[in-house]
Amino acid sequence: MKTFLFDLDGTLLSADENEFMHAYFGELTRALHGLLPAEGLASNILAATSRMQADTSPGSSNLVKFRREFEALYQGVDQQAVWDRIMEFYATTFDNVHDVMRRNEPLHRSVVYLREKGYRVLLTTNPIFPQLATYKRLAWAGFSSDTFEYISTMENCGYCKPNAAYWQHVATTMNVDPTQAIVVGNDCTEDMSARLVGIETYLVTDYVIGDAASSGADHVSD
């Protein structure tokens, strides 16, 4: 029986990447006013995230790796106060980002159908957000957290897509046979990297990131 692994942003959640980034960093910059300078904040967050993704050392969660990289860019500030403000942001004004995102109705119906038929359904969003932010985005897509057997977050993963170790972590943690699984996502690099561990791939092109023709996906569709 197949296990279905769904991406979130641009897949279950209809979202243009540029619109999301603009809204997200606008809200976060306002939330951190008075603690961190607005200039360079977005680029520093992206740099810390990139370094977190490149860090394949075992034993630490992505949350620990990100905080280590981000805090290294801001010496001499109250790091705990900054992180508390970030988490407060996710609990409150992050909701404003919902304005540029909506649930993907056909894929919402697909998840409901698969669950009704008894298939295993996992959420394999790239774990670059904390659980709170991930669960909120999942709600925007029309789901509760208990819809999925597994949801990857910064707290429970130490690897990111497109690293093969991410997919192996999910397969091992959830006892998934890669040859009996299929990943559904919109990113030609990150989501389609599941094939590195033998997982079948389905590229959704509504908000495709990358070149679908050279993605290597087993299936391609809007």
Side-chain angles (χ1 to χ4, degrees), residues 26-85:
E27 293 293 340
L28 183 55
T29 298
R30 283 188 284 275
L32 290 172
H33 178 71
L35 286 178
L36 295 178
E39 184 177 357
L41 179 60
S43 60
N44 281 342
I45 290 174
L46 291 173
T49 301
S50 179
R51 290 169 190 158
M52 175 197 75
Q53 290 181 272
D55 184 352
T56 58
S57 60
S60 296
S61 69
N62 286 336
L63 178 60
V64 170
K65 293 176 181 180
F66 174 81
R67 288 196 61 175
R68 180 169 60 235
E69 297 294 345
F70 186 63
E71 290 171 5
L73 298 172
Y74 290 100
Q75 301 292 331
V77 303
D78 187 337
Q79 304 289 359
Q80 191 57 50
V82 170
W83 190 253
D84 288 345
R85 184 74 64 83

Side-chain angles (χ1 to χ4, degrees), residues 30 32 43 54 58 71 78-79 84 88 137 143 152 169 173 178 180 184-185 198 206 209:
R30 283 188 284 275
L32 290 172
S43 60
E71 290 171 5
D78 187 337
Q79 304 289 359
D84 288 345
E88 180 185 358
R137 287 166 23 250
F143 299 105
S152 56
H169 165 78
T173 300
Q180 292 298 310
V184 182
D206 299 69
I209 298 174

Side-chain angles (χ1 to χ4, degrees), residues 181-183 191-195 199-203 216-219:
I182 182 168
V183 65
D191 299 316
M192 300 306 102
S193 66
R195 66 181 183 275
I199 298 177
E200 191 176 348
T201 54
Y202 194 116
L203 181 66
D218 297 298
H219 312 278

Side-chain angles (χ1 to χ4, degrees), residues 1 4 6 12 105-121 143 147-148:
M1 181 176 72
F4 288 80
F6 284 90
L12 296 180
E105 294 295 346
L107 280 176
H108 184 273
R109 293 194 296 271
S110 296
V111 171
V112 171
Y113 173 83
L114 291 168
R115 279 175 51 85
E116 289 175 347
K117 294 299 181 181
Y119 290 101
R120 300 183 68 191
V121 181
F143 299 105
T147 301
F148 299 87

